[in-house]
């Protein structure tokens, strides 16, 4: 049996496994793309984090997802009607409004990791895994072996942009683009027979990001403001550093900022307030989880800001003194998906308001 991990900001563990890209910081990784038959369609070959290939002979009809990150991708692709179960089900307000009703109808096979017996007995023919073969954070949870999945008739595919974080195969360079996320959309599109929709989603992401890139083309690297993602829901005793291998580093970079913890060689890393003070960021993102209503989420943002303004260690930070806060949820920033492109634009519009308009 192979252990699984939920990588990511501590408070988000109950919702998602977060990202480390197959594509690293630079160009697109060829390992991340699905190889379809020459004429399109099936069979489709996809690789896991170690390069082991799985051949999908026909369109899956019953899909189980490991958590809400992979579930959202499938909903975006139009394959949500084939999802028969998920782990780490999305909380209220987590999914985009247009997908919330359909997402809520997907049975939760586990509040967190799906128990092995439930997964094997789910009747699924495909398991989309957002986790990697690493020790489970804070516990010894294990999943079925490849042999057990095969015996149950379940094929096993991964989202490389989320599953490979922290593995020996993970790219060491900081992530500075969303190529890995786009490749995962294409992979899932090929696997589920929704390749045209995948290309449409990727094209939309590239268009939104391209508009921001063009608008910021005149901003020199040296003038990009320092940026810190403050995960209020992880607790305030010890901050968590969002490092260079996390998808949020790409979001921040594309938005024209400089992640102050980009140099830590991980996806996430426990930090200290002394570390944050030493970095003295120009902007701080109040990365709270969606509370399910606008009023409750706004209160969470208010509480996060109030903490930074009252906490002795952070009162004197440049961003706090100048009121440079970005109110943007943790899900769209640290979870690989279509909405990363929207996060790029929202951050850019906040820190570069003269150059980028939100919704442009």
């Amino acid at each position: 049996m192979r252990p699984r991990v939920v990588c990511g900001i501590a408070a988000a563990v109950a919702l998602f496994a977060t990202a480390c890209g197959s594509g690293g910081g630079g160009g697109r990784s060829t390992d991340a793309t699905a190889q379809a038959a020459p004429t399109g369609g099936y069979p489709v070959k996809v690789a896991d984090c170690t390069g082991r290939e799985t051949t999908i002979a026909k369109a899956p009809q019953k899909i189980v997802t490991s958590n809400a990150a992979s579930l959202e991708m499938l909903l975006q692709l139009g394959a949500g009607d084939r999802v028969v179960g998920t782990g780490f089900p999305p909380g209220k307000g987590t999914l985009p409004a247009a997908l919330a009703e359909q997402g809520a109808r997907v049975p939760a096979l586990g509040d967190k990791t799906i128990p092995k017996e439930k997964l094997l007995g789910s009747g699924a023919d495909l398991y989309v895994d957002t986790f990697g073969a690493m020790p489970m954070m804070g516990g010894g949870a294990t999943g079925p072996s490849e042999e057990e999945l095969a015996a149950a008739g379940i094929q096993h595919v991964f989202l490389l942009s989320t599953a490979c974080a922290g593995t020996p195969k993970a790219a060491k360079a900081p992530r500075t683009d969303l190529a890995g996320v786009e490749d995962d959309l294409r992979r899932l599109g090929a696997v589920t027979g929704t390749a045209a929709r995948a290309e449409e989603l990727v094209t939309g992401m590239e268009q939104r990001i391209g508009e921001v890139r063009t608008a910021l083309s005149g901003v020199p690297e040296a003038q990009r403001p320092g940026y810190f993602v403050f995960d209020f829901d992880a607790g305030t005793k010890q901050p968590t550093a969002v490092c260079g291998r996390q998808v949020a580093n790409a979001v921040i970079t594309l938005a024209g900022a400089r992640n102050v913890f980009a140099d830590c060689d991980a996806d996430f890393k426990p930090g200290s307030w002394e570390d944050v003070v030493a970095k003295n960021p120009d902007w701080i993102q109040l990365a709270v989880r969606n509370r399910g209503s606008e009023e409750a989420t706004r209160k969470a943002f208010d509480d996060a800001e109030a903490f930074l303004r009252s906490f002795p260690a952070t009162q004197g930070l440049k961003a706090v003194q100048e009121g440079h806060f970005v109110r943007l949820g943790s899900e769209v920033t640290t979870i690989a998906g279509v909405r990363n492109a929207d996060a790029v634009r929202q951050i850019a519009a906040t820190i570069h308001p003269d150059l980028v308009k939100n919704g442009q």
Side-chain angles (χ1 to χ4, degrees):
M1 293 182 289
R2 298 192 305 156
R4 303 272 196 267
V5 67
V6 183
C7 318
I9 291 181
V13 166
L15 293 177
F16 298 99
T18 50
C20 174
S22 57
R28 179 169 286 113
S29 167
T30 55
D31 290 340
T33 53
Q35 298 176 10
T39 56
Y42 297 90
V44 173
K45 290 184 179 181
V46 290
D48 66 10
C49 298
T50 67
R52 184 187 65 85
E53 286 189 338
T54 296
T55 300
I56 310 297
K58 60 182 180 179
Q61 297 303 307
K62 294 184 178 181
I63 305 170
V64 168
T65 59
S66 62
N67 74 349
S70 47
L71 172 61
E72 181 175 336
M73 280 196 181
L74 288 169
L75 292 171
Q76 294 272 15
L77 287 166
D81 58 342
R82 287 179 269 161
V83 181
V84 298
T86 189
F88 288 89
K92 184 179 179 183
T94 300
L95 293 172
L99 304 176
E101 184 177 345
Q102 186 179 23
R105 291 198 298 266
V106 174
L109 300 184
D111 291 336
K112 295 183 180 179
T113 304
I114 301 172
K116 180 171 75 171
E117 295 75 15
K118 281 195 174 182
L119 177 55
L120 293 175
S122 65
D125 53 9
L126 181 71
Y127 178 46
V128 181
D129 201 346
T130 322
F131 304 154
M134 298 173 284
M136 169 64 78
M137 243 172 104
T142 58
S145 66
E146 296 300 331
E147 292 75 19
E148 289 172 318
L149 287 168
I154 303 173
Q155 292 197 286
H156 189 190
V157 302
F158 293 84
L159 296 186
L160 298 192
S161 66
T162 59
C164 302
T167 68
K169 295 283 186 179
K172 301 299 183 182
R175 301 181 69 181
T176 57
D177 61 39
L178 295 177
V181 180
E182 294 170 356
D183 282 337
D184 270 334
L185 285 165
R186 289 187 172 105
R187 281 162 51 88
L188 269 188
V191 166
T192 60
T194 59
R197 174 60 176 162
E199 205 58 44
E200 180 183 333
L201 291 171
V202 169
T203 298
M205 289 178 67
E206 292 179 341
Q207 180 179 350
R208 295 194 295 279
I209 292 169
E211 290 170 353
V212 173
R213 183 183 291 113
T214 299
L216 300 179
S217 61
V219 180
E221 288 288 330
Q223 292 181 17
R224 296 191 167 210
Y227 193 95
F228 168 58
V229 178
F230 170 43
D231 179 31
F232 181 61
D233 292 313
T236 56
K237 186 175 182 180
Q238 182 182 34
T240 299
V242 172
C243 300
R245 285 195 270 155
Q246 221 283 324
V247 69
N249 191 74
V251 171
I252 293 165
T253 302
L254 291 167
R258 177 179 47 83
N259 178 15
V260 296
F261 288 108
D263 57 350
C264 60
D265 185 22
D267 55 349
F268 295 96
K269 204 169 190 177
S272 70
W273 287 116
E274 288 78 11
D275 295 334
V276 177
V277 170
K279 300 289 187 181
N280 197 18
D282 300 289
W283 286 87
I284 297 176
Q285 179 176 333
L286 307 176
V288 305
R289 290 202 308 269
N290 191 305
R291 297 301 199 262
S293 74
E294 185 176 338
E295 181 181 359
T297 303
R298 183 170 58 250
K299 183 181 184 303
F301 283 128
D302 290 343
D303 291 345
E305 180 176 335
F307 168 78
L308 293 173
R309 290 189 180 278
S310 62
F311 187 52
T314 56
Q315 284 178 334
L317 290 175
K318 181 178 181 181
V320 175
Q321 291 287 310
E322 297 181 356
H324 280 183
F325 300 112
V326 177
R327 294 188 167 213
L328 181 61
S330 58
E331 294 95 341
V332 297
T333 314
T334 62
I335 307 304
V338 175
R339 291 184 291 167
N340 292 152
D342 301 318
V344 168
R345 187 159 58 189
Q346 186 169 338
I347 294 171
T350 304
I351 66 178
H352 298 289
D354 295 338
L355 300 174
V356 180
K357 303 302 179 185
N358 204 11
Q360 74 179 99

